[in-house]
Amino acid sequence: MQWHIVRWAGTFMWAVHQLDADTSGVLVFARRRELVAPLKTAMAHHAARKEYLAWVAGSPGWEKICHAGAIGPAGERRGVPSLGVTPDGRAARSTLRVARRGRDAALVHARIHTGRTHQVRIHLSDLGHAVLGDDWYGDGVEDRAERQALHAVRLVLGPPFDRTFESPIPPDLSRLSAELGLSECGDA
């Protein structure tokens, strides 16, 4: 088990829930080392609900879909090992729901039931709707985002913690929503 330890304001903290580079949203750190293992166990045993918002290319032909594509090594990209949907990968399941449709893009709510590396990005790309700004899995997608347009909006921990952590949509993604007609006041 790999732990990331940071020191902030004179206190050591352990990273429990981390995100991909360029993904914004909920991060969870433990201030007491003895909480790290129980928190990680709670998240690994489906006692946690992880929810994301993804701004994607195109307009999906579905309103809601469950993607159960296994994720594993899928060759190399730019000389670096890459991941993808592959039959010999580890089980991965995401429930994806279109929240809003706009001009050539959509806002998708994703709930991941497993926690594989790059899971939301890989599943959406596999369905033909790559995350905007994703320079790894978004081949051929017009770069309309300043960064990867993926946001961890909510993390719900069940017993024994019974906590909900939420993160508001950051300004850059709010602007992107407006530009794409995906905001509440937009023309989607």
Side-chain angles (χ1 to χ4, degrees):
M1 174 183 292
Q2 181 180 6
W3 292 351
H4 289 78
I5 304 169
V6 296
R7 186 178 175 115
W8 181 68
T11 304
F12 285 104
M13 300 197 323
W14 289 262
V16 176
H17 179 253
Q18 302 172 69
L19 300 172
D20 297 341
D22 284 344
T23 298
S24 56
V26 175
L27 296 170
V28 177
F29 289 86
R31 289 181 24 178
R32 295 192 340 247
R33 186 176 187 162
E34 63 269 15
L35 290 177
V36 174
L39 281 165
K40 285 195 176 262
T41 298
M43 292 190 352
H45 290 96
H46 309 292
R49 191 172 77 226
K50 301 171 192 171
E51 299 176 23
Y52 292 78
L53 291 175
W55 288 254
V56 303
S59 184
W62 38 266
E63 291 301 318
K64 184 177 178 180
I65 191 169
C66 181
H67 193 309
I71 295 175
E76 287 191 1
R77 178 182 225 97
R78 299 179 208 141
V80 177
S82 185
L83 298 172
V85 172
T86 177
D88 57 343
R90 294 177 67 197
R93 189 166 60 93
S94 303
T95 299
L96 308 163
R97 178 182 50 80
V98 176
R100 294 197 185 99
R101 295 178 190 275
R103 297 181 298 273
D104 302 319
L107 176 62
V108 174
H109 177 272
R111 178 175 177 210
I112 61 172
H113 304 278
T114 51
R116 305 292 174 238
T117 301
H118 304 171
Q119 181 172 328
V120 174
R121 296 164 57 201
I122 290 169
H123 278 174
L124 285 166
S125 179
D126 188 58
L127 290 168
H129 299 285
V131 173
L132 296 174
D134 186 345
D135 63 357
W136 197 257
Y137 300 104
D139 283 344
V141 172
E142 185 182 333
D143 190 11
R144 298 194 261 179
E146 298 170 16
R147 63 171 173 95
Q148 186 172 281
L150 183 61
H151 181 71
V153 70
R154 184 174 299 110
L155 173 65
V156 180
L157 292 177
F161 299 101
D162 297 317
R163 301 288 299 244
T164 298
F165 303 95
E166 294 183 326
S167 177
I169 297 172
D172 66 321
L173 295 179
S174 290
R175 282 191 303 277
L176 180 64
S177 287
E179 290 169 15
L180 298 172
L182 297 171
S183 63
E184 290 181 20
C185 297
D187 55 4

